[in-house]
mmCIF file of all heavy atoms in Angstrom:
data_model
loop_
_atom_site.group_PDB
_atom_site.id
_atom_site.type_symbol
_atom_site.label_atom_id
_atom_site.label_comp_id
_atom_site.label_asym_id
_atom_site.label_seq_id
_atom_site.Cartn_x
_atom_site.Cartn_y
_atom_site.Cartn_z
ATOM 1 N N ARG A 20 9.636 -5.307 -5.086
ATOM 2 C CA ARG A 20 9.386 -5.404 -6.529
ATOM 3 C C ARG A 20 7.948 -4.974 -6.863
ATOM 4 O O ARG A 20 7.700 -4.297 -7.849
ATOM 5 C CB ARG A 20 9.679 -6.828 -7.017
ATOM 6 C CG ARG A 20 11.167 -6.993 -7.217
ATOM 7 C CD ARG A 20 11.638 -8.397 -7.413
ATOM 8 N NE ARG A 20 12.981 -8.372 -7.987
ATOM 9 C CZ ARG A 20 14.074 -8.020 -7.324
ATOM 10 N NH1 ARG A 20 14.003 -7.634 -6.066
ATOM 11 N NH2 ARG A 20 15.258 -8.004 -7.913
ATOM 12 N N ARG A 55 -2.255 -14.077 12.029
ATOM 13 C CA ARG A 55 -2.176 -12.610 12.017
ATOM 14 C C ARG A 55 -3.023 -12.008 10.888
ATOM 15 O O ARG A 55 -3.519 -10.897 11.004
ATOM 16 C CB ARG A 55 -0.717 -12.145 11.911
ATOM 17 C CG ARG A 55 0.014 -12.327 13.244
ATOM 18 C CD ARG A 55 1.411 -11.789 13.192
ATOM 19 N NE ARG A 55 1.462 -10.366 12.922
ATOM 20 C CZ ARG A 55 2.546 -9.733 12.472
ATOM 21 N NH1 ARG A 55 3.655 -10.415 12.250
ATOM 22 N NH2 ARG A 55 2.528 -8.434 12.253
ATOM 23 N N GLY A 58 -6.448 -11.497 11.996
ATOM 24 C CA GLY A 58 -6.495 -10.328 12.858
ATOM 25 C C GLY A 58 -6.698 -9.035 12.062
ATOM 26 O O GLY A 58 -7.376 -8.121 12.507
ATOM 27 N N LEU A 108 -3.965 -5.775 -11.970
ATOM 28 C CA LEU A 108 -4.000 -4.674 -11.014
ATOM 29 C C LEU A 108 -4.479 -3.412 -11.696
ATOM 30 O O LEU A 108 -5.227 -2.627 -11.140
ATOM 31 C CB LEU A 108 -2.586 -4.392 -10.497
ATOM 32 C CG LEU A 108 -2.027 -5.336 -9.466
ATOM 33 C CD1 LEU A 108 -0.596 -4.926 -9.128
ATOM 34 C CD2 LEU A 108 -2.871 -5.253 -8.207
ATOM 35 N N LYS A 115 -2.720 0.497 -18.704
ATOM 36 C CA LYS A 115 -2.043 -0.689 -19.213
ATOM 37 C C LYS A 115 -0.540 -0.591 -19.008
ATOM 38 O O LYS A 115 0.043 0.455 -19.090
ATOM 39 C CB LYS A 115 -2.339 -0.867 -20.701
ATOM 40 C CG LYS A 115 -3.607 -1.626 -20.953
ATOM 41 C CD LYS A 115 -3.476 -2.427 -22.247
ATOM 42 C CE LYS A 115 -4.595 -3.451 -22.393
ATOM 43 N NZ LYS A 115 -4.324 -4.697 -21.757
ATOM 44 N N ALA A 242 32.502 -10.340 1.743
ATOM 45 C CA ALA A 242 31.391 -11.150 2.285
ATOM 46 C C ALA A 242 31.381 -11.053 3.795
ATOM 47 O O ALA A 242 32.431 -11.029 4.443
ATOM 48 C CB ALA A 242 31.552 -12.600 1.853
ATOM 49 N N GLU A 299 11.132 -37.702 23.439
ATOM 50 C CA GLU A 299 11.960 -36.927 24.360
ATOM 51 C C GLU A 299 13.450 -37.158 24.032
ATOM 52 O O GLU A 299 14.242 -36.210 23.997
ATOM 53 C CB GLU A 299 11.636 -37.360 25.800
ATOM 54 C CG GLU A 299 12.426 -36.663 26.893
ATOM 55 C CD GLU A 299 12.205 -35.139 26.952
ATOM 56 O OE1 GLU A 299 11.150 -34.665 26.487
ATOM 57 O OE2 GLU A 299 13.107 -34.441 27.457
ATOM 58 N N ALA A 300 13.792 -38.422 23.754
ATOM 59 C CA ALA A 300 15.205 -38.741 23.474
ATOM 60 C C ALA A 300 15.653 -38.048 22.184
ATOM 61 O O ALA A 300 16.789 -37.545 22.099
ATOM 62 C CB ALA A 300 15.376 -40.256 23.343
ATOM 63 N N LEU A 349 15.575 -25.114 24.416
ATOM 64 C CA LEU A 349 16.557 -24.777 23.367
ATOM 65 C C LEU A 349 16.930 -23.292 23.440
ATOM 66 O O LEU A 349 18.092 -22.923 23.211
ATOM 67 C CB LEU A 349 16.026 -25.130 21.981
ATOM 68 C CG LEU A 349 15.739 -26.616 21.709
ATOM 69 C CD1 LEU A 349 15.468 -26.845 20.229
ATOM 70 C CD2 LEU A 349 16.888 -27.526 22.147
ATOM 71 N N GLN A 362 30.951 -12.675 24.358
ATOM 72 C CA GLN A 362 31.962 -12.190 25.302
ATOM 73 C C GLN A 362 33.349 -12.061 24.663
ATOM 74 O O GLN A 362 34.169 -11.277 25.105
ATOM 75 C CB GLN A 362 31.997 -13.079 26.547
ATOM 76 C CG GLN A 362 30.918 -12.618 27.534
ATOM 77 C CD GLN A 362 30.536 -13.658 28.561
ATOM 78 O OE1 GLN A 362 30.976 -14.806 28.479
ATOM 79 N NE2 GLN A 362 29.700 -13.267 29.508
ATOM 80 N N GLU A 367 37.343 -5.462 21.574
ATOM 81 C CA GLU A 367 37.674 -5.529 20.144
ATOM 82 C C GLU A 367 37.205 -4.240 19.452
ATOM 83 O O GLU A 367 36.181 -3.658 19.843
ATOM 84 C CB GLU A 367 36.905 -6.673 19.477
ATOM 85 C CG GLU A 367 37.330 -8.037 19.900
ATOM 86 C CD GLU A 367 38.447 -8.569 19.028
ATOM 87 O OE1 GLU A 367 38.271 -8.577 17.803
ATOM 88 O OE2 GLU A 367 39.491 -8.943 19.599
ATOM 89 N N THR A 426 42.218 11.544 11.884
ATOM 90 C CA THR A 426 42.256 12.775 11.091
ATOM 91 C C THR A 426 43.576 12.808 10.335
ATOM 92 O O THR A 426 44.592 12.324 10.821
ATOM 93 C CB THR A 426 42.157 14.011 12.003
ATOM 94 O OG1 THR A 426 43.037 13.805 13.079
ATOM 95 C CG2 THR A 426 40.746 14.235 12.477
#
Side-chain angles (χ1 to χ4, degrees):
R20 279 168 163 72
R55 285 184 61 199
L108 283 177
K115 274 212 167 274
E299 179 62 24
L349 297 190
Q362 276 160 353
E367 292 271 306
T426 46

